Amino acid sequence: MQELPKVCVIGAGSSGITVCKSLQDKGIPYDCYEKGSDVGGNWRYKNDNGLSNIYKSLHINTHRDRMEYRDYPMPDWYADYPNHEPIQKYFMDYVDHFGLRKHIKFKNGVAKIEPQDDGTYLVTSEKGEKIFYDAVIVANGHHWSPRWPEPDFPGKFNGKIIHSHDYVDPEHPIQLTGKRVVVLGMGNSAMDISVELSRPGVAKKVFLSSRRGAWVIPNYLFGKPLDKQTELLPPGTPFWLKQFLFGTMLKIGVGKMEDFGLPKPDHKPGEAHPTISQDILVRLGRGDIKYKPVIQEYNGNKVKFADGSEEEIDAIIYCTGYNVKFPFFKPEFISAPDNHLPLFHRTFKPDLNNLFFVGLYQPLGAIMPLAEFQGKWLAEYLTGNYSLPTAPEMQKQIQDYEKKMKKRYVSSARHTMQVDYEDFLYYMQKELKAGKKRASKSLQTLPVPSKAKYKHSGKQNSSNGKSEPRKKSALAKV
């Protein structure tokens, strides 16, 4: 019987923990490294990992049934769109139910990963451990490195500027109660923060500013959760048909964006990542929030907008997205310039058979069930039950998909990782089935051989910076 490879999983957020579960189900030895003291990633409020941060009022914008892991349904008494507290508890319960904690190294992130000549990876943890692994699964998330406007707006602003990543509530990290605030952006965070600040007794004035318009999608339409209604369309439904049906629903159920003071979107529904908010249009209609075009320049306490208007402003919140980064890799090995990293089904890098990515996409829906399937898929691959297509075949599929997405979506770093929930899951399932057939026709040798457990690893010696070899009895610990 062939020995299974030893795997390093980076991150114990919603993607990392479900990968751990799949590896454990197949008996694949692994360690999971997590910078924080508990699981949950971005859904852990006041996470002590120094990277994740969510605002106090955050709720999911995908229905709980579409967010839950298929192996562990959410309690049916959960609200349709609960806030972060029950979601975090759900992740903690998931880990405890399947006994995953024993393999998670808490408060110990990955500092460095060095590819070795024999195909293994030397992983250095933040605590100085040096351990060899046969494969690495990256699940470090992509909502932790704030993206700022580039270039920044000209002039000097005398007020406070923060990124939405740092926003917690109207009092933290800066005082916004009674202030005049500009929220820059048209994504979900911008909608949520604008609505919260516009409540009576909070901000004095709230301006929503953006470069372009967007289609605002409500959580509920015709009395039903809107994203649940999309399940009625079978996977593979032509985009033009989905666009027509969705556009018609918005036209009838919501109306024109211009009627609420927003600019007319320069794209059709479905050609940009959706902006979801049940409340923003009402707040705009009431005048609690006023829309402004993009900032043109700063002038002390004043902000000039592209329409020539000026407003005295106390604070600005940039809701301008995130950069995709892998600080543990050298950039020449793995990087994502402008958030672009070509991957086969957003999972496999064609030229590397033992480095994988999970949760690295922007779905029209929730990440969790997709990451869960990726974990199961990788477990089948690592146990020899699935075989990949050839590298040229994978490259062609990647190129065809990216060409299709570029044709459909507005040009933006946000859309380099866009996937449609149902279609993405369907085609992953289809590929897994095809790969199992390929594997059954071969000798079913493991694509990633077990080498790491026989190699020396050590802990960093702080006195001279050299690695001290461990005793042989500790080499095979997993």
Side-chain angles (χ1 to χ4, degrees), residues 44-102:
R44 186 181 177 208
Y45 182 57
K46 294 186 177 180
N47 198 329
D48 58 357
N49 66 4
L51 297 175
S52 304
N53 192 44
I54 55 175
Y55 37 95
K56 190 175 182 179
S57 61
L58 179 66
H59 286 65
I60 62 174
N61 57 26
T62 302
H63 192 277
R64 65 157 199 269
D65 292 352
R66 288 168 64 81
M67 184 178 183
E68 67 189 10
Y69 301 120
R70 298 300 175 253
D71 286 351
Y72 193 73
M74 285 190 187
D76 56 11
W77 52 265
Y78 269 26
D80 290 342
Y81 302 96
N83 71 5
H84 56 83
E85 290 182 6
I87 297 299
Q88 166 64 4
K89 185 178 186 306
Y90 170 73
F91 292 138
M92 294 172 69
D93 290 347
Y94 177 91
V95 166
D96 292 335
H97 179 79
F98 293 112
L100 305 176
R101 286 186 182 273
K102 59 183 177 290

Side-chain angles (χ1 to χ4, degrees), residues 455-470:
K455 300 183 69 170
H456 288 275
S457 55
K459 182 156 182 143
Q460 189 74 24
N461 184 332
S462 59
S463 63
N464 57 19
K466 294 182 180 179
S467 177
E468 294 181 347
R470 287 184 176 180

